Amino acid sequence: MLVVGVVDYRTGTELSISIFYLLPISLMAWFVDRRAGIFLSLISSVIQLVTDIVAGHTYSHPIIVYWNNAVQLGFFLIIVFISSALKVEYERTVRLNANLQDTLAKLKRAQDELERKAQDLARSNVELEQFAYVAAHDLKGPLVVAGGHIHRLRRLFQGKMHPDATRSIEYALDGINRMEALIHGLLAYAKVGTKAKKLNPSDCNDIVELATANLQVEIEKAGAIVTHNQLPTLFSDDIQILQLFQNLIGNSIKFHKEEPPRIHICAEQNEKEWVFSVCDNGIGIEPKNLNCIFDIFQRLHSSPEFPGNGIGLAICKKIVENHGGRIWVESEPGRGSTFYFTIPIKPPTTI
């Protein structure tokens, strides 16, 4: 108390309050806790009151000494609550920063792991496509030999075989033909996945006309009518886009009802892409099958009714994805289907 009184006498009460009261109270509230700060505030107020009484401070009324000390105690308590609140906010910020750093580290590890898995998956896909191509290519030789021998047997013993033997030969030839079609489909699917080429401007009007010319036999047989609006010019692999249109048009011709197929192709430009649609009046697709028809080997109908190997739409999906787009279908059973696919206006350099 003597030291406080000397400081008060020499400098005024402001310096003594700052050094001997506010500083310890603030440090106590920050480094210990709020209760310690409150306790020190009470002790400091008592000390200040005793100091004032001993120093003989005179006011117009004796109660003012007690009033001043009560105001000072309130000031001390405000400092305590502010300091403790700042400490809580500071600690919360520190914890948030630590959690953020930990989260960022986890995200970085997850990103690195995803990139590694993506690289592994891309490498596995390339290896699988190469395997499918090599396997399908190597299967062609034995299949051609087997087919040639069976055809020769049928010619040599024409009219001399038992009807059951004739039927067995026909079954064998039918199986060989379906296997050849499957191998050709696998080769086409593998080629689409491994082919990379710089993109060139391709007039889709010319591509659709060429696709219909390639399908002329099927079009005439089914009595189909294929029409299209004015179509855009794309930066694309024209060979793959031709295969895409040819597969979609051929698919619409194949799955038609008793009435002749009607197929219409158009395109609309969005902000970043062209949206193409291939609309037909065919048999349609059940809603439960809309998401699986683009899977390889996925067939919804029996071979005698609608022949095929279930690879055509999988090839379409891969071609569209190679160009950075997406493909989907909207359909109702008995009311036809509309296949949509998108091609970005600004394509990647290669596919």
Side-chain angles (χ1 to χ4, degrees):
M1 289 190 294
L2 178 62
V3 175
V4 175
V6 172
V7 174
D8 286 351
Y9 177 77
R10 293 289 185 180
T11 64
T13 59
E14 293 81 1
L15 183 59
S16 67
I17 289 175
S18 299
I19 295 176
F20 296 105
Y21 299 121
L22 293 182
L23 182 59
I25 290 171
S26 300
L27 293 175
M28 186 67 69
W30 183 272
F31 289 103
V32 183
D33 56 24
R34 180 180 294 178
R35 291 181 180 180
I38 293 174
F39 177 76
L40 188 57
S41 297
L42 293 172
I43 297 298
S44 300
S45 295
V46 171
I47 293 174
Q48 182 66 23
L49 177 61
V50 173
T51 302
D52 286 345
I53 294 174
V54 172
H57 290 167
T58 58
Y59 298 95
S60 58
H61 195 283
I63 200 172
I64 293 179
V65 175
Y66 298 98
W67 171 256
N68 287 342
N69 279 273
V71 171
Q72 188 171 272
L73 175 61
F75 179 66
F76 290 164
L77 293 177
I78 290 173
I79 295 299
V80 169
F81 281 97
I82 291 176
S83 298
S84 59
L86 289 175
K87 177 186 178 183
V88 170
E89 185 64 23
Y90 171 77
E91 290 176 344
R92 189 177 72 87
T93 303
V94 170
R95 287 195 301 271
L96 287 176
N97 287 335
N99 292 335
L100 179 60
Q101 293 298 326
D102 185 59
T103 302
L104 289 175
K106 290 179 179 179
L107 287 175
K108 183 64 170 60
R109 290 194 296 270
Q111 182 181 4
D112 294 341
E113 182 67 16
L114 284 175
E115 289 178 355
R116 186 186 65 79
K117 289 183 177 180
Q119 293 174 356
D120 292 342
L121 181 61
R123 184 169 57 252
S124 297
N125 285 338
V126 171
E127 292 174 353
L128 183 61
E129 289 165 353
Q130 291 175 345
F131 170 78
Y133 182 83
V134 172
H137 185 271
D138 291 346
L139 283 172
K140 288 177 63 178
L143 200 63
V144 169
V145 172
H149 283 292
I150 293 176
H151 278 290
R152 187 182 178 201
L153 285 173
R154 185 174 63 174
R155 288 195 306 270
L156 290 174
F157 297 98
Q158 187 72 33
K160 302 177 182 178
M161 292 185 295
H162 190 275
D164 290 340
T166 302
R167 281 195 300 271
S168 296
I169 287 180
E170 296 300 329
Y171 290 150
L173 290 175
D174 180 66
I176 288 175
N177 291 333
R178 284 189 283 112
M179 180 62 76
E180 286 181 346
L182 182 61
I183 289 174
H184 285 302
L186 280 174
L187 288 172
Y189 186 80
K191 286 180 180 178
V192 169
T194 58
K195 185 176 182 181
K197 177 182 175 182
K198 288 186 177 181
L199 307 180
N200 298 311
S202 304
D203 187 342
C204 289
N205 298 284
D206 295 338
I207 292 177
V208 170
E209 293 296 333
L210 180 57
T212 55
N214 292 341
L215 294 168
Q216 195 59 38
V217 174
E218 291 84 351
I219 290 174
E220 292 180 355
K221 182 178 179 181
I225 297 177
V226 181
T227 59
H228 63 87
N229 292 353
Q230 183 65 28
L231 301 176
T233 296
L234 302 176
F235 281 90
S236 63
D237 180 344
D238 52 354
I239 300 298
Q240 289 194 7
I241 295 298
L242 170 63
Q243 189 175 12
L244 171 63
F245 278 114
Q246 191 165 314
N247 284 359
L248 291 177
I249 296 171
N251 199 69
S252 295
I253 295 173
K254 181 192 300 183
F255 297 99
H256 69 87
K257 298 182 291 187
E258 292 183 359
E259 59 184 293
R262 298 291 184 269
I263 302 158
H264 184 69
I265 305 166
C266 58
E268 295 182 1
Q269 183 177 357
N270 288 342
E271 182 179 353
K272 297 181 179 180
E273 60 189 9
W274 284 100
V275 181
F276 289 82
S277 62
V278 180
C279 182
D280 64 52
N281 62 340
I283 61 175
I285 304 169
E286 293 286 344
K288 64 179 180 180
N289 296 322
L290 294 179
N291 294 327
C292 66
I293 61 172
F294 297 101
D295 296 337
I296 190 169
F297 301 131
Q298 184 65 46
R299 288 184 48 80
L300 306 181
H301 307 279
S302 61
S303 296
E305 184 180 9
F306 297 102
N309 49 38
I311 299 179
L313 289 179
I315 292 175
C316 292
K317 180 181 179 182
K318 181 169 282 193
I319 290 173
V320 171
E321 290 177 348
N322 283 349
H323 285 78
R326 61 192 191 282
I327 187 170
W328 69 97
V329 61
E330 296 178 0
S331 180
E332 292 184 24
R335 302 188 64 178
S337 305
T338 301
F339 285 85
Y340 296 92
F341 66 89
T342 64
I343 301 294
I345 296 174
K346 294 182 180 180
T349 303
T350 60
I351 57 174

